[in-house]
Amino acid sequence: MNEEKNISRELFKGIFLLVIGASMLGGSGIFVKLSDSSPSLIAFYRSLFALPFLYAWMKFEERNNSSDIIWDKKIIFFLVSGGLCFALDMSIWNWSLSFTSVANATLMANIAPVFVVIFGVLFLGYKIEISFVVTLLLALLGGFLVILPGEQIMVFGDSLGVLAAVFYAGYILSIKDLTNILQPAKTLFLVTLITTLCLLPISLIEAESLNLSKSEFFILISYAIFSQTFAQGLITSGISKVSAHLSSLVLLMQPVAAAFYGWFFLQELLSPLQMAGGMIVLVAIYLASRK
């Protein structure tokens, strides 16, 4: 009985962390829209500027429980794949914002749960119940209702968002496997370090210079602290306590949060259909986590 209570407590804590992290991450597109830098350069500085903060979190987490990493092939594979997938996800998603709206880009990137299920079943031996697939489709329906009313479908930008979702799914699966071995802070720090190294040559080719103005520096360091340090930190901690496919479904809170930010900060009206879509996403998250 006590063991069941502990499992339920950890599951609730994991879902709570994911909801808060996803809600914060839903505002990432605002920073990208405010920035004048190239899309890949924005992604590079998001990961680079976050490294000192993530390093401090890692050292704080290790203060009473520091353990050496056994660098086997599995850890190296998931670190490299996680860092590379996250680099491509951020770079492609930032590019999608140049061709579509923040709301559309956020929604398309968050169909990642579909790819998490597909990749998990095909390559990692995950066993997914039919009831979860139905709940996932319900959550996706809610997400579409939140975003699509009044939004023009921009094929190229939205397609980039879908491609970003493929790499985001690879990132989620890699993070999940790593947090089974490493602590969340060390996982996120090491993956972000590899992400930064992957984005450096892409940024140099794309932007030709890494120089930033003072205003641009302020925007990008705020972006790094808000999205990569706090939001991704909460999400990584949540993923460590919840299955990969349930984690990815909970992350569908991001388009709901993006719509809320549009209403709160930009006075964009929310239609009854959009509010119903948000409720559907919340109900789907509840149903998926009931067990």
Side-chain angles (χ1 to χ4, degrees), residues 13-219:
K13 184 178 179 180
I15 291 174
F16 177 76
L17 292 171
L18 285 165
V19 167
I20 300 300
S23 298
M24 292 180 67
L25 207 58
S28 292
I30 296 173
F31 291 98
V32 179
K33 287 287 190 181
L34 288 173
S35 175
D36 294 325
S37 298
S38 68
S40 296
L41 190 62
I42 294 170
F44 169 72
Y45 277 117
R46 166 178 164 173
S47 56
L48 177 67
F49 287 158
L51 286 174
F53 302 101
L54 295 176
Y55 182 79
W57 178 32
M58 179 180 71
K59 287 301 179 182
F60 178 78
E61 196 174 63
E62 290 179 341
R63 67 194 185 283
N64 297 322
N65 186 26
S66 180
S67 57
D68 295 328
I69 302 175
I70 301 175
W71 293 99
D72 58 18
K73 292 180 180 179
K74 181 179 180 180
I75 288 183
I76 293 173
F77 171 78
F78 281 115
L79 279 174
V80 173
S81 64
L84 179 59
C85 283
F86 196 45
L88 292 171
D89 163 54
M90 284 201 296
S91 183
I92 294 170
W93 186 73
N94 287 355
W95 266 108
S96 74
L97 289 170
S98 301
F99 301 97
T100 189
S101 66
V102 173
N104 277 26
T106 303
L107 176 64
M108 295 306 164
N110 279 278
I111 64 169
V114 175
F115 298 110
V116 167
V117 169
I118 293 172
F119 296 159
V121 171
L122 291 180
F123 303 115
L124 299 176
Y126 286 9
K127 294 181 179 179
I128 309 295
E129 296 180 1
I130 296 297
S131 59
F132 177 83
V133 175
V134 174
T135 307
L136 172 58
L137 293 175
L138 180 66
L140 288 170
L141 171 64
F144 274 98
L145 292 178
V146 168
I147 298 304
L148 291 185
E151 292 288 349
Q152 180 183 358
I153 297 175
M154 290 159 262
V155 176
F156 183 66
D158 293 350
S159 298
L160 288 177
V162 173
L163 182 59
V166 174
F167 292 111
Y168 195 41
Y171 168 74
I172 291 172
L173 290 168
S174 298
I175 287 290
K176 179 57 187 176
D177 269 87
L178 287 169
T179 53
N180 289 335
I181 305 168
L182 309 176
Q183 293 177 310
K186 178 167 284 188
T187 296
L188 187 57
F189 172 76
L190 292 174
V191 169
T192 303
L193 178 61
I194 293 172
T195 296
T196 306
L197 295 174
C198 291
L199 285 169
L200 178 58
I202 300 174
S203 300
L204 287 172
I205 293 170
E206 185 179 290
E208 298 182 354
S209 172
L210 300 180
N211 294 333
L212 294 175
S213 65
K214 288 184 180 179
S215 60
E216 192 69 5
F217 173 82
F218 178 76
I219 290 172

